[in-house]
Amino acid sequence: MRRSKWSSTVLEVFCALVTALILTWTIAHVVPTTVHTPAQLRDVAFGWPFPWYHQDLRRYEPATFPDDMYIVGDRVDPLPTTVDVFALTGDVLVTAVILWLVVGALIALLRPRITRALDARRKAHSRET
């Protein structure tokens, strides 16, 4: 049974979107947002390139400004948090396109090397038989 081109494309898109979602979530949790005034603590937005994760971080007011703030995951006493689904979707799509381009470029760069290695392996195998 042969897989169709359509099913492999769907699988590629699905994998790119899942990987992009994981990267988008990681970026939001790892990259800080700089807060310049106490008023900005009311709605600190995280995410790249579109802020999609918003938290009210007034209870964590720093001693000096500007200061870098990170997402706070507080299960005991939760913070007011909202998620902008449209911005999250945009971030995932942008990240997926960037991933697709990077992987495509890597495949294009490595294809000649892989082809030579496979050809050498085939020639060695054909000499043995």
Side-chain angles (χ1 to χ4, degrees):
M1 186 183 293
R2 218 178 133 186
R3 274 184 22 186
S4 70
K5 175 74 173 155
W6 176 250
S7 64
S8 66
T9 302
V10 169
L11 181 63
E12 288 175 20
V13 169
F14 176 76
C15 290
L17 289 174
V18 169
T19 305
L21 178 62
I22 292 167
L23 280 173
T24 299
W25 186 262
T26 303
I27 289 168
H29 282 77
V30 172
V31 177
T33 296
T34 303
V35 176
H36 299 280
T37 65
Q40 285 181 312
L41 291 171
R42 181 180 301 277
D43 181 28
V44 182
F46 301 93
W48 179 90
F50 311 112
W52 59 272
Y53 196 91
H54 302 266
Q55 282 191 315
D56 181 347
L57 297 178
R58 287 178 287 179
R59 83 169 74 150
Y60 298 106
E61 184 171 333
T64 61
F65 288 94
D67 196 19
D68 290 338
M69 304 298 285
Y70 292 88
I71 289 177
V72 176
D74 192 354
R75 292 183 183 192
V76 176
D77 188 14
L79 296 167
T81 301
T82 58
V83 174
D84 182 351
V85 178
F86 293 113
L88 173 60
T89 303
D91 277 2
V92 169
L93 292 176
V94 167
T95 305
V97 168
I98 291 170
L99 276 173
W100 201 296
L101 293 173
V102 168
V103 169
L106 286 173
I107 289 171
L109 289 172
L110 296 175
R111 178 174 282 144
R113 206 173 207 179
I114 293 169
T115 303
R116 281 194 303 270
L118 289 174
D119 288 344
R121 180 182 269 181
R122 283 188 203 114
K123 286 178 185 175
H125 186 275
S126 65
R127 280 186 230 142
E128 292 174 1
T129 56

